[in-house]
Amino acid sequence: MTAVSPEYIFSLTESGLEAAALELFQYQYRENDLYRAYTDALHIPPASVKSILEIPFLPIQFFKSHTVVCGRFEPELVFESSGTTQTVNSRHLVKHSSIYTQSFMTAFEQFYGPVSDYVVVGLLPSYLERQHSSLVRMVQEMTIRSGHPESGFYLYEHDKLFHQLQELEARGQKVLLIGVTFGLLDFAEQYTLSLKNTIVMETGGMKGRREEWTREEVHAFLKERLGAACIHAEYGMTELLSQAYSKCDGLFETPPWMKVLLRDENDPFQLTAGKGAGVMNVIDLANIYSCAFIATEDIGRMHADGRFEVLGRLDNSALRGCSLMVS
């Protein structure tokens, strides 16, 4: 098996990521016309790349202006960012839908155990009302695979959701309540609960619906109103096929085929694998047929144990519908 094989990628351990990333870089340099042109424009000979710190990272804005693919194919899925009426949406063409499913299912179950243990409840207003959302696709598949009849989506039926959560709590049933930030805040403003068996997971997303809050303010409010000991979080985006998870403290962990590096805000080619703050570059080896090396516009801080936190967005980056909150 090679790094171009999903079976290889999703069986990786952390120690195998660098070798797989270097192999996938060579493949994507050969097969992705845009990425090859970008690498050549930087005057980086592919044979000279011997470390993940030497791999060129494609600016995320290219997903708005170009088709980012390896070779030619008819995509099984097309994901689009939510954006706003003033912005151009990113588009991510996915060659095989099975790769996306395998990525999010394998990662979730590595962090949280079998999805069949949970009633999966999605609170994704506005996201559910539009097509081509990777988040909706993920949660929809998880509700099906959970196998519980109570699993499903809620738009604005907050009263129904309140009573459903009360009933599941009384039964001692494990629940995953996953929602966009403004949806969870809208719900928590109306109702109070004492959730002991429910994982409350926010995915970011204010969409200009309310005044921006820091992540700490959001989590404190949700904990108080919903009675949850911790608020979990998911870090993902249209341009990636994998997600990182935070189980309580705003510190995210990645699955073994995903890694975050930091770059100097004033020097986009100065990368570091160490701790400190900087702009986030993401390796996502699940992006086999697009680009696995993405220079994002998110500012992060790396901690000594390898976990990272997201601090906000670059000031000069385009507004984005699922932008993370500045903290």
Side-chain angles (χ1 to χ4, degrees), residues 96-126:
H96 300 299
S97 61
S98 60
I99 293 178
Y100 182 55
T101 301
Q102 190 173 3
S103 179
F104 69 70
M105 287 300 304
T106 303
F108 178 84
E109 295 196 337
Q110 282 186 6
F111 286 109
Y112 292 100
V115 73
S116 57
D117 289 348
Y118 299 88
V119 169
V120 179
V121 176
L123 186 57
L124 306 174
S126 79

mmCIF file of all heavy atoms in Angstrom, residues 96-126:
data_model
loop_
_atom_site.group_PDB
_atom_site.id
_atom_site.type_symbol
_atom_site.label_atom_id
_atom_site.label_comp_id
_atom_site.label_asym_id
_atom_site.label_seq_id
_atom_site.Cartn_x
_atom_site.Cartn_y
_atom_site.Cartn_z
ATOM 1 N N HIS A 96 -13.968 10.476 -4.228
ATOM 2 C CA HIS A 96 -14.661 9.315 -3.662
ATOM 3 C C HIS A 96 -15.316 9.710 -2.343
ATOM 4 O O HIS A 96 -14.622 10.067 -1.387
ATOM 5 C CB HIS A 96 -13.690 8.157 -3.419
ATOM 6 C CG HIS A 96 -12.999 7.669 -4.657
ATOM 7 N ND1 HIS A 96 -13.680 7.150 -5.731
ATOM 8 C CD2 HIS A 96 -11.678 7.622 -4.982
ATOM 9 C CE1 HIS A 96 -12.822 6.786 -6.673
ATOM 10 N NE2 HIS A 96 -11.601 7.075 -6.246
ATOM 11 N N SER A 97 -16.633 9.631 -2.278
ATOM 12 C CA SER A 97 -17.331 9.966 -1.031
ATOM 13 C C SER A 97 -16.924 9.037 0.101
ATOM 14 O O SER A 97 -16.950 9.416 1.272
ATOM 15 C CB SER A 97 -18.841 9.905 -1.243
ATOM 16 O OG SER A 97 -19.253 8.604 -1.630
ATOM 17 N N SER A 98 -16.515 7.812 -0.231
ATOM 18 C CA SER A 98 -16.144 6.833 0.803
ATOM 19 C C SER A 98 -14.930 7.298 1.600
ATOM 20 O O SER A 98 -14.790 6.957 2.778
ATOM 21 C CB SER A 98 -15.862 5.472 0.165
ATOM 22 O OG SER A 98 -14.797 5.568 -0.773
ATOM 23 N N ILE A 99 -14.042 8.079 0.974
ATOM 24 C CA ILE A 99 -12.865 8.565 1.700
ATOM 25 C C ILE A 99 -13.291 9.548 2.787
ATOM 26 O O ILE A 99 -12.789 9.496 3.918
ATOM 27 C CB ILE A 99 -11.858 9.212 0.732
ATOM 28 C CG1 ILE A 99 -11.272 8.156 -0.193
ATOM 29 C CG2 ILE A 99 -10.748 9.931 1.507
ATOM 30 C CD1 ILE A 99 -10.291 8.710 -1.222
ATOM 31 N N TYR A 100 -14.217 10.438 2.463
ATOM 32 C CA TYR A 100 -14.705 11.384 3.477
ATOM 33 C C TYR A 100 -15.385 10.636 4.620
ATOM 34 O O TYR A 100 -15.109 10.893 5.794
ATOM 35 C CB TYR A 100 -15.668 12.378 2.842
ATOM 36 C CG TYR A 100 -16.181 13.419 3.812
ATOM 37 C CD1 TYR A 100 -15.301 14.211 4.533
ATOM 38 C CD2 TYR A 100 -17.548 13.601 4.017
ATOM 39 C CE1 TYR A 100 -15.765 15.169 5.432
ATOM 40 C CE2 TYR A 100 -18.019 14.558 4.909
ATOM 41 C CZ TYR A 100 -17.120 15.328 5.616
ATOM 42 O OH TYR A 100 -17.587 16.271 6.509
ATOM 43 N N THR A 101 -16.236 9.679 4.283
ATOM 44 C CA THR A 101 -16.935 8.919 5.316
ATOM 45 C C THR A 101 -15.942 8.174 6.200
ATOM 46 O O THR A 101 -16.054 8.192 7.439
ATOM 47 C CB THR A 101 -17.920 7.937 4.689
ATOM 48 O OG1 THR A 101 -18.876 8.660 3.896
ATOM 49 C CG2 THR A 101 -18.654 7.134 5.755
ATOM 50 N N GLN A 102 -14.970 7.516 5.580
ATOM 51 C CA GLN A 102 -13.986 6.769 6.363
ATOM 52 C C GLN A 102 -13.178 7.696 7.256
ATOM 53 O O GLN A 102 -12.854 7.348 8.399
ATOM 54 C CB GLN A 102 -13.064 5.983 5.430
ATOM 55 C CG GLN A 102 -12.167 4.983 6.152
ATOM 56 C CD GLN A 102 -11.396 4.099 5.203
ATOM 57 O OE1 GLN A 102 -11.475 4.245 3.982
ATOM 58 N NE2 GLN A 102 -10.630 3.172 5.747
ATOM 59 N N SER A 103 -12.877 8.886 6.753
ATOM 60 C CA SER A 103 -12.096 9.838 7.542
ATOM 61 C C SER A 103 -12.841 10.283 8.784
ATOM 62 O O SER A 103 -12.328 10.169 9.909
ATOM 63 C CB SER A 103 -11.723 11.045 6.682
ATOM 64 O OG SER A 103 -10.995 11.989 7.442
ATOM 65 N N PHE A 104 -14.076 10.787 8.622
ATOM 66 C CA PHE A 104 -14.746 11.326 9.810
ATOM 67 C C PHE A 104 -15.213 10.229 10.754
ATOM 68 O O PHE A 104 -15.229 10.416 11.970
ATOM 69 C CB PHE A 104 -15.863 12.313 9.447
ATOM 70 C CG PHE A 104 -17.098 11.753 8.790
ATOM 71 C CD1 PHE A 104 -17.992 10.953 9.476
ATOM 72 C CD2 PHE A 104 -17.387 12.093 7.473
ATOM 73 C CE1 PHE A 104 -19.135 10.477 8.869
ATOM 74 C CE2 PHE A 104 -18.532 11.618 6.850
ATOM 75 C CZ PHE A 104 -19.413 10.796 7.555
ATOM 76 N N MET A 105 -15.578 9.069 10.221
ATOM 77 C CA MET A 105 -16.007 7.997 11.113
ATOM 78 C C MET A 105 -14.827 7.440 11.911
ATOM 79 O O MET A 105 -14.937 7.197 13.113
ATOM 80 C CB MET A 105 -16.680 6.889 10.310
ATOM 81 C CG MET A 105 -18.072 7.241 9.797
ATOM 82 S SD MET A 105 -19.251 7.642 11.119
ATOM 83 C CE MET A 105 -19.161 6.170 12.130
ATOM 84 N N THR A 106 -13.699 7.217 11.242
ATOM 85 C CA THR A 106 -12.532 6.670 11.937
ATOM 86 C C THR A 106 -12.040 7.632 13.007
ATOM 87 O O THR A 106 -11.735 7.225 14.135
ATOM 88 C CB THR A 106 -11.406 6.380 10.929
ATOM 89 O OG1 THR A 106 -11.878 5.493 9.915
ATOM 90 C CG2 THR A 106 -10.209 5.740 11.624
ATOM 91 N N ALA A 107 -11.990 8.928 12.671
ATOM 92 C CA ALA A 107 -11.512 9.909 13.648
ATOM 93 C C ALA A 107 -12.464 10.005 14.830
ATOM 94 O O ALA A 107 -12.033 9.985 15.994
ATOM 95 C CB ALA A 107 -11.347 11.270 12.982
ATOM 96 N N PHE A 108 -13.769 10.123 14.567
ATOM 97 C CA PHE A 108 -14.718 10.249 15.672
ATOM 98 C C PHE A 108 -14.612 9.055 16.604
ATOM 99 O O PHE A 108 -14.570 9.215 17.842
ATOM 100 C CB PHE A 108 -16.144 10.393 15.145
ATOM 101 C CG PHE A 108 -17.175 10.475 16.247
ATOM 102 C CD1 PHE A 108 -17.450 11.680 16.871
ATOM 103 C CD2 PHE A 108 -17.831 9.330 16.700
ATOM 104 C CE1 PHE A 108 -18.370 11.757 17.913
ATOM 105 C CE2 PHE A 108 -18.752 9.392 17.743
ATOM 106 C CZ PHE A 108 -19.022 10.609 18.346
ATOM 107 N N GLU A 109 -14.572 7.866 16.055
ATOM 108 C CA GLU A 109 -14.576 6.681 16.912
ATOM 109 C C GLU A 109 -13.244 6.489 17.628
ATOM 110 O O GLU A 109 -13.208 5.883 18.699
ATOM 111 C CB GLU A 109 -14.980 5.460 16.087
ATOM 112 C CG GLU A 109 -16.428 5.585 15.593
ATOM 113 C CD GLU A 109 -17.047 4.298 15.093
ATOM 114 O OE1 GLU A 109 -16.288 3.386 14.696
ATOM 115 O OE2 GLU A 109 -18.292 4.189 15.110
ATOM 116 N N GLN A 110 -12.161 7.016 17.083
ATOM 117 C CA GLN A 110 -10.901 6.995 17.825
ATOM 118 C C GLN A 110 -10.980 7.858 19.075
ATOM 119 O O GLN A 110 -10.420 7.512 20.120
ATOM 120 C CB GLN A 110 -9.752 7.476 16.931
ATOM 121 C CG GLN A 110 -9.258 6.434 15.940
ATOM 122 C CD GLN A 110 -8.040 6.876 15.162
ATOM 123 O OE1 GLN A 110 -7.471 7.938 15.423
ATOM 124 N NE2 GLN A 110 -7.627 6.079 14.197
ATOM 125 N N PHE A 111 -11.682 8.975 18.988
ATOM 126 C CA PHE A 111 -11.781 9.890 20.129
ATOM 127 C C PHE A 111 -12.939 9.560 21.061
ATOM 128 O O PHE A 111 -12.840 9.776 22.275
ATOM 129 C CB PHE A 111 -11.925 11.329 19.624
ATOM 130 C CG PHE A 111 -10.665 11.918 19.069
ATOM 131 C CD1 PHE A 111 -10.531 12.134 17.707
ATOM 132 C CD2 PHE A 111 -9.594 12.238 19.888
ATOM 133 C CE1 PHE A 111 -9.371 12.677 17.177
ATOM 134 C CE2 PHE A 111 -8.429 12.776 19.372
ATOM 135 C CZ PHE A 111 -8.305 12.992 18.021
ATOM 136 N N TYR A 112 -14.052 9.048 20.535
ATOM 137 C CA TYR A 112 -15.281 8.939 21.329
ATOM 138 C C TYR A 112 -15.886 7.542 21.396
ATOM 139 O O TYR A 112 -16.869 7.346 22.098
ATOM 140 C CB TYR A 112 -16.340 9.907 20.767
ATOM 141 C CG TYR A 112 -15.986 11.352 20.980
ATOM 142 C CD1 TYR A 112 -15.430 12.108 19.953
ATOM 143 C CD2 TYR A 112 -16.188 11.973 22.214
ATOM 144 C CE1 TYR A 112 -15.103 13.439 20.145
ATOM 145 C CE2 TYR A 112 -15.863 13.299 22.417
ATOM 146 C CZ TYR A 112 -15.310 14.029 21.378
ATOM 147 O OH TYR A 112 -14.983 15.348 21.574
ATOM 148 N N GLY A 113 -15.319 6.588 20.687
ATOM 149 C CA GLY A 113 -15.885 5.248 20.698
ATOM 150 C C GLY A 113 -16.949 5.077 19.631
ATOM 151 O O GLY A 113 -17.209 5.992 18.839
ATOM 152 N N PRO A 114 -17.586 3.919 19.577
ATOM 153 C CA PRO A 114 -18.535 3.613 18.504
ATOM 154 C C PRO A 114 -19.686 4.617 18.445
ATOM 155 O O PRO A 114 -20.289 4.950 19.475
ATOM 156 C CB PRO A 114 -19.042 2.210 18.868
ATOM 157 C CG PRO A 114 -17.980 1.630 19.740
ATOM 158 C CD PRO A 114 -17.401 2.782 20.505
ATOM 159 N N VAL A 115 -20.002 5.077 17.252
ATOM 160 C CA VAL A 115 -21.107 6.023 17.097
ATOM 161 C C VAL A 115 -22.430 5.365 17.456
ATOM 162 O O VAL A 115 -23.394 6.041 17.826
ATOM 163 C CB VAL A 115 -21.117 6.593 15.656
ATOM 164 C CG1 VAL A 115 -21.596 5.553 14.654
ATOM 165 C CG2 VAL A 115 -21.969 7.857 15.573
ATOM 166 N N SER A 116 -22.476 4.033 17.392
ATOM 167 C CA SER A 116 -23.706 3.317 17.740
ATOM 168 C C SER A 116 -24.046 3.435 19.220
ATOM 169 O O SER A 116 -25.174 3.123 19.622
ATOM 170 C CB SER A 116 -23.589 1.840 17.350
ATOM 171 O OG SER A 116 -22.470 1.240 17.985
ATOM 172 N N ASP A 117 -23.096 3.900 20.039
ATOM 173 C CA ASP A 117 -23.382 4.118 21.464
ATOM 174 C C ASP A 117 -24.226 5.371 21.684
ATOM 175 O O ASP A 117 -24.774 5.556 22.768
ATOM 176 C CB ASP A 117 -22.077 4.280 22.251
ATOM 177 C CG ASP A 117 -21.297 2.975 22.386
ATOM 178 O OD1 ASP A 117 -21.859 1.909 22.067
ATOM 179 O OD2 ASP A 117 -20.120 3.038 22.797
ATOM 180 N N TYR A 118 -24.314 6.239 20.672
ATOM 181 C CA TYR A 118 -24.899 7.567 20.850
ATOM 182 C C TYR A 118 -26.189 7.741 20.053
ATOM 183 O O TYR A 118 -26.305 7.242 18.927
ATOM 184 C CB TYR A 118 -23.926 8.660 20.387
ATOM 185 C CG TYR A 118 -22.622 8.712 21.129
ATOM 186 C CD1 TYR A 118 -21.536 7.946 20.711
ATOM 187 C CD2 TYR A 118 -22.460 9.520 22.251
ATOM 188 C CE1 TYR A 118 -20.324 7.990 21.381
ATOM 189 C CE2 TYR A 118 -21.250 9.568 22.924
ATOM 190 C CZ TYR A 118 -20.184 8.803 22.488
ATOM 191 O OH TYR A 118 -18.986 8.853 23.160
ATOM 192 N N VAL A 119 -27.117 8.478 20.644
ATOM 193 C CA VAL A 119 -28.135 9.154 19.851
ATOM 194 C C VAL A 119 -27.484 10.428 19.338
ATOM 195 O O VAL A 119 -26.970 11.228 20.122
ATOM 196 C CB VAL A 119 -29.390 9.486 20.689
ATOM 197 C CG1 VAL A 119 -30.316 10.431 19.922
ATOM 198 C CG2 VAL A 119 -30.130 8.214 21.060
ATOM 199 N N VAL A 120 -27.465 10.607 18.030
ATOM 200 C CA VAL A 120 -26.789 11.748 17.423
ATOM 201 C C VAL A 120 -27.836 12.781 17.023
ATOM 202 O O VAL A 120 -28.721 12.506 16.210
ATOM 203 C CB VAL A 120 -25.960 11.328 16.198
ATOM 204 C CG1 VAL A 120 -25.284 12.545 15.573
ATOM 205 C CG2 VAL A 120 -24.919 10.283 16.597
ATOM 206 N N VAL A 121 -27.728 13.967 17.619
ATOM 207 C CA VAL A 121 -28.685 15.044 17.378
ATOM 208 C C VAL A 121 -27.941 16.210 16.748
ATOM 209 O O VAL A 121 -26.993 16.747 17.322
ATOM 210 C CB VAL A 121 -29.360 15.493 18.692
ATOM 211 C CG1 VAL A 121 -30.275 16.679 18.435
ATOM 212 C CG2 VAL A 121 -30.130 14.337 19.316
ATOM 213 N N GLY A 122 -28.361 16.613 15.556
ATOM 214 C CA GLY A 122 -27.730 17.720 14.854
ATOM 215 C C GLY A 122 -28.558 18.987 14.944
ATOM 216 O O GLY A 122 -29.740 18.982 14.585
ATOM 217 N N LEU A 123 -27.968 20.040 15.466
ATOM 218 C CA LEU A 123 -28.631 21.348 15.536
ATOM 219 C C LEU A 123 -27.895 22.272 14.567
ATOM 220 O O LEU A 123 -26.972 22.985 14.929
ATOM 221 C CB LEU A 123 -28.585 21.885 16.966
ATOM 222 C CG LEU A 123 -29.370 23.175 17.246
ATOM 223 C CD1 LEU A 123 -30.842 23.021 16.877
ATOM 224 C CD2 LEU A 123 -29.243 23.581 18.718
ATOM 225 N N LEU A 124 -28.322 22.212 13.307
ATOM 226 C CA LEU A 124 -27.590 22.896 12.237
ATOM 227 C C LEU A 124 -28.510 23.781 11.407
ATOM 228 O O LEU A 124 -28.606 23.630 10.191
ATOM 229 C CB LEU A 124 -26.909 21.862 11.331
ATOM 230 C CG LEU A 124 -25.988 20.840 12.016
ATOM 231 C CD1 LEU A 124 -25.509 19.812 11.013
ATOM 232 C CD2 LEU A 124 -24.805 21.542 12.662
ATOM 233 N N PRO A 125 -29.224 24.706 12.028
ATOM 234 C CA PRO A 125 -30.076 25.603 11.243
ATOM 235 C C PRO A 125 -29.252 26.395 10.238
ATOM 236 O O PRO A 125 -28.098 26.735 10.499
ATOM 237 C CB PRO A 125 -30.694 26.525 12.307
ATOM 238 C CG PRO A 125 -29.761 26.452 13.470
ATOM 239 C CD PRO A 125 -29.208 25.069 13.452
ATOM 240 N N SER A 126 -29.836 26.666 9.121
ATOM 241 C CA SER A 126 -29.238 27.351 7.959
ATOM 242 C C SER A 126 -28.274 26.438 7.208
ATOM 243 O O SER A 126 -28.276 26.419 5.986
ATOM 244 C CB SER A 126 -28.564 28.676 8.336
ATOM 245 O OG SER A 126 -27.304 28.481 8.892
#
